Amino acid sequence: MIPVDIGRDEAAEAARRELADPAYQAAEPSWLAKAMEWVLARLDEVFTAAAELTTAGPLGWVLLGLLLLVAVLVIRRRLGPTRRRAKASHEVFDGDKLTAAGYRQTAETALAEGRLADAVRDRFRAIVCGLEERGVLDVRTGRTADEAATEAGKRLPALADELRQGATQFDDVFYGGRPATEPGYRRLVALDEAAAATRPLVGGAAR
């Protein structure tokens, strides 16, 4: 019979490593703390039960293995949907759409009022809307931030990395619950200005 050679501390550490995945880090910090607390509580229950079962001989080890299996399945079922949502990109626009100039104005207003998340959202929208107005991107509903960055990066290769970073910031802040920062917003302003000044490639040449 092969003993189950794992302790409470080792299991807790394994849970912490799992939740350290960047996909979880994109979720709202308060959610992550609650998830960690929930996982560790379930592990504590398993090991409390294990202390009683292992005195029962081979049957106890079998039941312990089943308990661990159930704990893993429940944890993955509970956390899986949120993990998938954390990885997903989201639509850039919703509701009534403004012009690029309109989004820039609302972004600056939000910044002045201390609403950094709204400022980040509208400045990224200004970037995408500006690219649509210039014909760099076709006007299309339902486009996600990642799609916008990927498509625009093909036309503006010098800005491809910055566009991907901007899309990640948009998703993380506005949909993922991460705190927005003024330096992050200023990077979007610089990207907006650079995108407006960069000529897109057409058939391998800039125009």
Side-chain angles (χ1 to χ4, degrees), residues 39-53:
V39 168
L40 295 180
R42 301 291 78 75
L43 288 172
D44 188 69
E45 291 174 2
V46 167
F47 281 97
T48 297
E52 301 173 358
L53 289 175

Side-chain angles (χ1 to χ4, degrees), residues 123-187:
R123 198 71 196 207
F124 185 78
R125 286 176 171 174
I127 294 170
V128 176
C129 193
L131 293 172
E132 289 180 347
E133 290 173 356
R134 293 176 57 207
V136 177
L137 293 175
D138 61 301
V139 178
R140 175 162 59 84
T141 60
R143 177 187 275 122
T144 68
D146 280 348
E147 289 171 343
T150 299
E151 293 167 18
K154 294 176 181 177
R155 302 288 305 281
L156 305 173
L159 300 178
D161 288 342
E162 289 86 350
L163 287 164
R164 283 193 295 270
Q165 292 169 12
T168 298
Q169 183 180 183
F170 174 82
D171 283 333
D172 286 353
V173 168
F174 196 65
Y175 289 100
R178 279 198 170 184
T181 65
E182 186 167 346
Y185 174 75
R186 294 301 178 193
R187 286 193 293 272

Side-chain angles (χ1 to χ4, degrees), residues 29-133:
S30 61
W31 177 90
L32 183 62
K34 291 177 181 177
M36 176 64 92
E37 182 180 349
W38 185 88
V39 168
L40 295 180
R42 301 291 78 75
L43 288 172
D44 188 69
E45 291 174 2
V46 167
F47 281 97
T48 297
E52 301 173 358
L53 289 175
T54 53
T55 61
L59 178 59
W61 286 111
V62 172
L63 292 176
L64 174 58
L66 290 175
L67 277 173
L68 289 173
L69 177 60
V70 169
V72 169
L73 292 176
V74 170
I75 288 169
R76 287 194 172 275
R77 181 178 179 83
R78 186 181 180 92
L79 303 185
T82 302
R83 185 176 185 179
R84 286 191 294 272
R85 285 196 299 271
K87 289 183 175 179
S89 186
H90 297 269
E91 293 183 14
V92 177
F93 302 107
D94 59 11
D96 295 334
K97 189 175 178 181
L98 304 178
T99 63
Y103 281 122
R104 292 183 186 109
Q105 181 59 52
T106 58
E108 288 296 313
T109 299
L111 178 68
E113 295 175 353
R115 295 182 287 110
L116 285 174
D118 290 341
V120 165
R121 174 199 64 190
D122 283 354
R123 198 71 196 207
F124 185 78
R125 286 176 171 174
I127 294 170
V128 176
C129 193
L131 293 172
E132 289 180 347
E133 290 173 356

